[in-house]
């Protein structure tokens, strides 16, 4: 899901400013003070709602999109859909991001529907999640259902689609701007179409809307000989800074970025390259700073289940994928929490995910968190932190 609007007056991420000052060994006094501004003040002083000039209709008093971090009180969210979800074709970028024991599944069922019983269960669970959010007072928006089995062709490749289950992967909200990520999987090339109705509505009501450069996803974007026969291979390659995506053109998934006010942290991963990170850095400067962090992770893809900032100066750090820069956060006064080992059974099918989805939680505000009902150990951890 995607945090679209949070209550004005929330934290602006001064803790991140202190981290940067510590890291660089400089006293960013004025900048730190500016970072202490409320979200409301920042929204007023930075980029105002679009359509203030040359507007076809009077500009709204408030933008419908306003979110600067992962913990301010949540007012509106986009929740994805599992309807018509399809197995992506077994191309090199999919192979690099999946476990070897599932390769036969992708080779056999690529382009076809995921198992019907699993899709049915996923739809029911997502619907219940929407019900819970609505009862908590959160406005819920949903993408359009699309037939993802339709084959498409560009001058550089052909593929079928996948799903619109994870808006966090494809959309990033920074202040009053919603950014469409270019993505890196060919099966996700046209995923943005499911969200266009919602984004156009936000735009027509004053939000900024940016689409990052769409990659060609030609063969040159991928290392066609990427060697990944074992976890050991993946560890070695990650340690060497080698990934299946090359630097042929910018690419990134929004889910490799995580926000803390004026500071946004990102990892170089199998789907986010340095060109994509640099595009984001230049696009958001000078109001925001983008910082690359890294982890001992044999298969980095999406940061939330590795490093999840859940409050001002409070971060969940995956003990299986330690952050190489974690001491800098600690020296800057951050509280680093290592979540407990997930309880999900070993035989549960995880075609593209890891057990550590348990720490990929949704903060309704600084004291309320939505957690997997089966993950009782992490529930206890949050209770010990004073959260419900």
């Amino acid at each position: 899901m995607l945090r679209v609007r949070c209550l004005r007056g929330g934290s602006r991420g001064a803790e991140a400013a202190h981290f940067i000052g510590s890291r660089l060994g400089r006293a960013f006094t004025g900048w730190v003070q500016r970072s202490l501004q409320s979200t409301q003040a920042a929204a007023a002083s930075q980029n105002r709602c679009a359509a203030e000039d040359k507007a076809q209709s009077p500009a709204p008093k408030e933008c419908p999109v306003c979110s600067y971090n992962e913990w301010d009180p949540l007012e509106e969210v986009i929740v994805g859909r599992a309807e018509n979800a399809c197995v992506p074709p077994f191309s090199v970028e999919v192979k690099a991001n999946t476990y070897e024991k599932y390769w036969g599944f992708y080779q056999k069922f690529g382009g076809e529907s995921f198992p019907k019983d699993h899709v049915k269960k996923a739809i029911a669970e997502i619907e219940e999640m929407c019900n819970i959010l609505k009862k908590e007072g959160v406005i819920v928006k949903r993408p359009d259902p699309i037939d993802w089995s339709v084959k498409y062709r560009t001058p550089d490749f052909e593929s079928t689609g996948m799903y619109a289950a994870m808006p966090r992967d494809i959309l990033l909200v920074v202040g009053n701007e919603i950014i469409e990520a270019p993505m890196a999987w060919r099966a996700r090339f046209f995923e943005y179409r499911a969200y266009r109705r919602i984004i156009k509505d936000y735009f027509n009501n004053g939000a900024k809307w940016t689409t990052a450069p769409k990659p060609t996803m030609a063969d040159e974007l991928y290392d066609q000989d990427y060697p990944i026969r074992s976890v050991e291979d993946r560890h070695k390659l990650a340690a060497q800074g080698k990934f299946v995506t090359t630097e042929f053109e910018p690419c990134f998934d929004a889910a490799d970025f995580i926000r803390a006010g004026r500071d946004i942290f990102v990892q170089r991963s199998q789907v986010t390259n340095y060109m994509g990170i640099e595009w984001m850095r230049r696009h958001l400067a000078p109001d925001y700073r983008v910082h690359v962090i890294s982890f001992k992770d044999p298969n980095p893809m999406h940061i939330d289940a590795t490093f999840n900032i859940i409050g001002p100066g409070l971060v969940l750090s995956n003990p299986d994928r330690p952050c190489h820069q974690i001491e800098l956060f600690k020296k800057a006064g951050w509280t680093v929490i290592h979540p407990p080992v997930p309880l999900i059974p070993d035989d549960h099918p995880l075609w593209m995910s890891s057990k550590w989805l348990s720490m990929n939680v949704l903060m309704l505000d600084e004291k309320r968190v939505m957690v997997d009902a089966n993950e009782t150990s992490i529930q206890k951890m949050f209770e010990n932190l004073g959260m419900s």
Side-chain angles (χ1 to χ4, degrees):
M1 64 186 66
L2 181 76
R3 303 175 71 88
V4 175
R5 189 174 75 247
C6 298
L7 186 66
R8 277 75 167 173
S11 304
R12 278 293 293 166
E15 73 289 344
H18 286 296
F19 161 68
I20 301 303
S22 170
R23 183 169 112 171
L24 299 180
R26 301 173 184 172
F28 285 105
T29 307
W31 185 58
V32 169
Q33 289 173 344
R34 289 195 300 274
S35 294
L36 284 164
Q37 299 175 67
S38 68
T39 300
Q40 183 176 14
S45 64
Q46 291 186 356
N47 301 318
R48 293 187 176 275
C49 294
E52 193 158 284
D53 298 322
K54 303 180 181 179
Q56 295 180 352
S57 58
K61 293 181 179 179
E62 290 186 338
C63 289
V65 172
C66 182
S67 181
Y68 293 89
N69 56 47
E70 314 299 336
W71 63 83
D72 276 346
L74 187 61
E75 293 184 330
E76 185 164 328
V77 68
I78 300 174
V79 177
R81 290 186 179 276
E83 285 87 345
N84 307 321
C86 285
V87 180
F90 193 56
S91 51
V92 64
E93 75 276 15
V94 174
K95 182 178 180 181
N97 284 281
T98 52
Y99 299 106
E100 188 173 357
K101 65 180 179 179
Y102 294 124
W103 288 354
F105 171 82
Y106 284 98
Q107 289 171 319
K108 183 177 181 179
F109 297 108
E112 300 179 18
S113 173
F114 275 100
K116 297 294 185 183
D117 57 333
H118 285 268
V119 173
K120 184 177 180 180
K121 291 177 181 177
I123 291 171
E125 290 187 355
I126 295 170
E127 289 298 327
E128 180 58 13
M129 179 181 290
C130 292
N131 291 336
I132 293 169
L133 287 166
K134 290 174 183 177
K135 289 177 181 178
E136 293 293 332
V138 178
I139 296 171
V140 176
K141 298 289 183 71
R142 308 294 302 280
D144 295 330
I146 285 180
D147 182 0
W148 300 106
S149 67
V150 174
K151 182 175 288 188
Y152 50 83
R153 182 192 297 268
T154 79
D156 298 287
F157 69 91
E158 66 176 39
S159 182
T160 48
M162 197 161 75
Y163 50 40
M166 303 179 190
R168 167 77 173 96
D169 291 359
I170 190 170
L171 301 172
L172 181 67
V173 171
V174 181
N176 63 11
E177 179 179 13
I178 189 162
I179 300 171
E180 284 184 28
M183 310 303 287
W185 282 23
R186 289 168 168 175
R188 308 189 77 174
F189 190 85
F190 286 112
E191 194 167 320
Y192 67 88
R193 295 177 63 246
Y195 302 95
R196 277 294 172 89
R197 171 184 53 82
I198 300 173
I199 297 174
K200 286 189 291 185
D201 183 61
Y202 287 144
F203 177 76
N204 288 334
N205 284 281
K208 293 181 65 178
W209 171 18
T210 300
T211 300
K214 199 68 175 172
T216 63
M217 296 190 185
D219 289 347
E220 291 87 346
L221 180 58
Y222 312 101
D223 181 351
Q224 302 293 332
D225 300 315
Y226 190 71
I228 44 169
R229 296 303 308 181
S230 67
V231 173
E232 290 74 21
D233 283 342
R234 295 178 188 232
H235 270 297
K236 291 177 182 177
L237 291 165
Q240 296 168 11
K242 294 181 179 179
F243 305 91
V244 70
T245 47
T246 68
E247 298 297 330
F248 175 70
E249 58 189 347
C251 67
F252 63 84
D253 281 13
D256 272 323
F257 294 80
I258 193 161
R259 307 162 306 156
R262 294 188 185 278
D263 290 276
I264 297 172
F265 300 94
V266 62
Q267 65 172 350
R268 203 318 183 176
S269 76
Q270 299 285 21
V271 293
T272 296
N273 63 13
Y274 287 119
M275 284 190 75
I277 294 171
E278 181 60 22
W279 181 89
M280 185 71 82
R281 190 196 310 274
R282 296 185 197 180
H283 175 72
L284 294 175
D287 294 319
Y288 300 89
R289 301 189 181 206
V290 176
H291 312 282
V292 179
I293 53 178
S294 59
F295 308 89
K296 187 181 180 182
D297 185 353
N299 196 47
M301 179 181 175
H302 301 169
I303 201 169
D304 305 74
T306 300
F307 194 82
N308 195 358
I309 304 173
I310 60 171
L314 182 62
V315 63
L316 299 182
S317 183
N318 190 324
D320 278 0
R321 307 171 192 162
C323 176
H324 294 135
Q325 296 82 16
I326 199 64
E327 290 303 318
L328 296 174
F329 286 87
K330 291 179 179 179
K331 290 178 181 178
W334 286 49
T335 299
V336 178
I337 304 293
H338 297 296
V341 175
L343 300 178
I344 188 170
D346 289 336
D347 61 353
H348 188 88
L350 290 167
W351 294 293
M352 291 177 286
S353 306
S354 80
K355 290 185 175 184
W356 288 101
L357 284 172
S358 60
M359 64 175 279
N360 188 2
V361 297
L362 176 69
M363 303 302 297
L364 300 183
D365 54 43
E366 289 185 40
K367 294 298 181 181
R368 293 182 301 155
V369 57
M370 183 177 283
V371 188
D372 187 332
N374 299 303
E375 295 289 346
T376 55
S377 58
I378 200 169
Q379 291 172 31
K380 186 66 176 178
M381 182 204 77
F382 281 115
E383 289 171 1
N384 291 336
L385 291 171
M387 301 180 189
S388 60

